[in-house]
Amino acid sequence: MKVRTRLTLLFTFVTAMLMIFYGIAVYYSSSKARETSFYAQLRNEGVAKANLFFQSTLSEKEMHRLYKNNTKTINEVQVAIYDPEFNLIYHDDSKVDYVKEDPKMLSGILKNKEISFFINDLQAIGTVYTHNGKEYLVTAAGYDQYGYNSINHLLTISIIAFISILILIYLAGIFLSKKALNPLSEMVEQIKRITAGKLQLRLKTTKEKDELNELAQNFNGMLERLENSFDAQKHFVSNISHELRTPLSAIITELELASEKEHTKEEYQETIRFALDDARNMVKLSNSLMDLAKASYDPNEISFSEIRLDEILLESYSKIIKENSEYKVSLNIDSEVEEPQLTLQGNEYLLQVAFNNLIDNACKYSPEHTCCIDVKTHASSLIISFTNTGIIISPEDLQHIFEPFYRSENSKEEKGYGIGLFLTEKIIHLHHAKIKVASENNKTVFMVIFDF
């Protein structure tokens, strides 16, 4: 079922319930008002008949004749009068006695001064009438034909109006829902035209501050992120293909040359050594790409736990020294740094990858292969500095140093793929930290800043 139909039916149903509730309330209050009004009419008719009986010159027969003549044209009220000893002294028509009074009923009238009740469709009332110091009991009963006709007419009109209004509301609901959801239909048509090859298309937005315009703006924002992601993936795949092609081509060339003619044992060993170096480079590249993929996950999908930064730095320090015996790395932690300042929520593996890259880069591009790591606090931040001396980075290269696969002119003499710093920046940002670089006066410093 379409949203338009559901909204129309829901709107019609809610309106129907409200109208039914209103109709029941009106019918009930009108019925009670009729009942109260007719009781008052019965009381007045009983008192009038009693006045006529006690104070007029009309005989009882003449009053009976008057009653019977009235019953031919209207629903005349039937009245009976009893003396204090419960003896009947007057009745409009004793042969057709509506009330059928008994001593118990008459006692109740005398005790309560007035009672009212139903006899099937008839209403009846009993009241005390005082004449010459004596209390007489008067009962009056009758059928409120006019009142019931009015109530039935009201019910008929209400049912017809209810059905008519429901039909009109249903038609109005269809029109209004169609008009209200028309922008959604237009958005659906626009979305159908957006494909993987047409991510540059956008939904139309207006200056209105409504939910539909907000939806269109958020959807356009999602398309913007998807387009950037697709472009980044294309660029990423293109660079990966280029980087993988170089060592693969070298391996193939070396093996083809080795297979074309006989070589000495030393020449074969040299060919194998070259192929192994290229294979190891491919392994390093694939490991870097795997780390990059892990760092590119949704932050909600990466497990974080309580870690110590000094312990991770020591592990990175030990790992780099073990793998590269010519590297000289020093780690200095300021005495003012307290243990809580070194503890945070993070991913140990990813942070170690980031620190490994910074230490390796510092040693690699330093003529003395040295890296000095300093840990200190400043204001409400913990600052970890990775410093090397020697080759500085030009201002032009500093602007692109964290871009993927970018390599400066000074770094092309060393082996690498331009992934390390890009990966490091992503990891640092995942931990809500900042990374800065400064290169001047024969010294390059990478600073990682964690806020407390």
Side-chain angles (χ1 to χ4, degrees), residues 207-255:
K207 294 182 179 179
E208 297 292 334
K209 295 182 179 180
D210 56 18
E211 290 81 358
L212 292 177
N213 191 56
E214 185 179 356
L215 174 63
Q217 290 175 348
N218 284 311
F219 190 83
N220 286 341
M222 181 189 70
L223 288 176
E224 185 77 27
R225 294 190 294 272
L226 284 175
E227 185 179 9
N228 293 337
S229 177
F230 270 68
D231 290 341
Q233 284 185 7
K234 290 178 183 178
H235 181 69
F236 187 68
V237 171
S238 175
N239 283 303
I240 288 176
S241 300
H242 174 74
E243 295 295 340
L244 287 175
R245 189 182 298 115
T246 301
L248 281 174
S249 299
I251 291 174
I252 291 171
T253 301
E254 290 161 2
L255 293 178

Side-chain angles (χ1 to χ4, degrees), residues 114-132:
E114 183 174 303
I115 63 171
S116 56
F117 51 92
F118 272 86
I119 304 170
N120 297 326
D121 291 335
L122 299 177
Q123 285 179 246
I125 190 170
T127 186
V128 174
Y129 176 82
T130 305
H131 178 67
N132 293 334

Side-chain angles (χ1 to χ4, degrees), residues 56-322:
S56 72
T57 57
L58 290 175
S59 65
E60 186 174 349
K61 289 183 178 180
E62 290 174 330
M63 291 183 66
H64 286 168
R65 191 182 304 117
L66 179 64
Y67 168 76
K68 290 179 179 179
N69 288 335
N70 285 340
T71 55
K72 295 177 181 178
T73 56
I74 61 174
N75 292 315
E76 178 66 5
V77 176
Q78 187 183 90
V79 177
I81 303 173
Y82 289 82
D83 64 15
E85 287 76 28
F86 303 161
N87 297 315
L88 178 65
I89 60 176
Y90 172 78
H91 200 294
D92 278 329
D93 190 355
S94 58
K95 293 181 180 179
V96 185
D97 186 4
Y98 293 150
V99 179
K100 295 179 175 57
E101 299 88 346
D102 55 26
K104 183 179 179 182
M105 180 189 296
L106 296 173
S107 297
I109 296 172
L110 187 61
K111 178 181 178 181
N112 297 304
K113 303 301 181 184
E114 183 174 303
I115 63 171
S116 56
F117 51 92
F118 272 86
I119 304 170
N120 297 326
D121 291 335
L122 299 177
Q123 285 179 246
I125 190 170
T127 186
V128 174
Y129 176 82
T130 305
H131 178 67
N132 293 334
K134 281 187 172 184
E135 289 185 337
Y136 294 88
L137 306 177
V138 179
T139 62
Y143 178 75
D144 187 13
Q145 184 174 355
Y146 175 77
Y148 279 121
N149 287 342
S150 298
I151 291 295
N152 291 333
H153 182 69
L154 174 64
L155 180 61
T156 303
I157 293 298
S158 298
I159 292 173
I160 295 173
F162 173 75
I163 295 173
S164 302
I165 291 173
L166 273 191
I167 294 172
L168 291 175
I169 286 176
Y170 179 75
L171 296 176
I174 292 175
F175 172 76
L176 292 175
S177 61
K178 182 178 180 181
K179 188 173 182 180
L181 296 176
N182 189 52
L184 272 180
S185 300
E186 293 179 359
M187 290 172 65
V188 170
E189 292 301 320
Q190 294 174 33
I191 291 172
K192 287 180 180 178
R193 294 195 293 269
I194 299 174
T195 61
K198 296 181 179 180
L199 287 176
Q200 74 279 4
L201 297 179
R202 297 291 183 269
L203 298 182
K204 292 180 181 179
T205 57
T206 62
K207 294 182 179 179
E208 297 292 334
K209 295 182 179 180
D210 56 18
E211 290 81 358
L212 292 177
N213 191 56
E214 185 179 356
L215 174 63
Q217 290 175 348
N218 284 311
F219 190 83
N220 286 341
M222 181 189 70
L223 288 176
E224 185 77 27
R225 294 190 294 272
L226 284 175
E227 185 179 9
N228 293 337
S229 177
F230 270 68
D231 290 341
Q233 284 185 7
K234 290 178 183 178
H235 181 69
F236 187 68
V237 171
S238 175
N239 283 303
I240 288 176
S241 300
H242 174 74
E243 295 295 340
L244 287 175
R245 189 182 298 115
T246 301
L248 281 174
S249 299
I251 291 174
I252 291 171
T253 301
E254 290 161 2
L255 293 178
E256 285 179 345
L257 290 174
S259 63
E260 286 179 357
K261 58 180 180 179
E262 292 291 332
H263 292 278
T264 63
K265 178 181 179 181
E266 289 75 14
E267 289 174 335
Y268 279 124
Q269 289 177 340
E270 185 177 6
T271 299
I272 293 172
R273 187 170 62 253
F274 287 152
L276 281 173
D277 288 341
D278 290 329
R280 290 190 182 100
N281 289 334
M282 288 182 64
V283 170
K284 289 182 180 179
L285 176 59
S286 64
N287 289 337
S288 297
L289 294 175
M290 287 293 293
D291 292 336
L292 181 59
K294 291 178 181 177
S296 299
Y297 289 162
D298 187 330
N300 295 324
E301 297 180 5
I302 298 176
S303 61
F304 284 78
S305 59
E306 190 173 277
I307 56 174
R308 288 277 300 269
L309 290 174
D310 53 342
E311 294 176 357
I312 297 175
L313 284 170
L314 284 170
E315 289 178 9
S316 295
Y317 165 86
S318 302
K319 183 175 185 297
I320 294 296
I321 293 297
K322 184 178 180 180

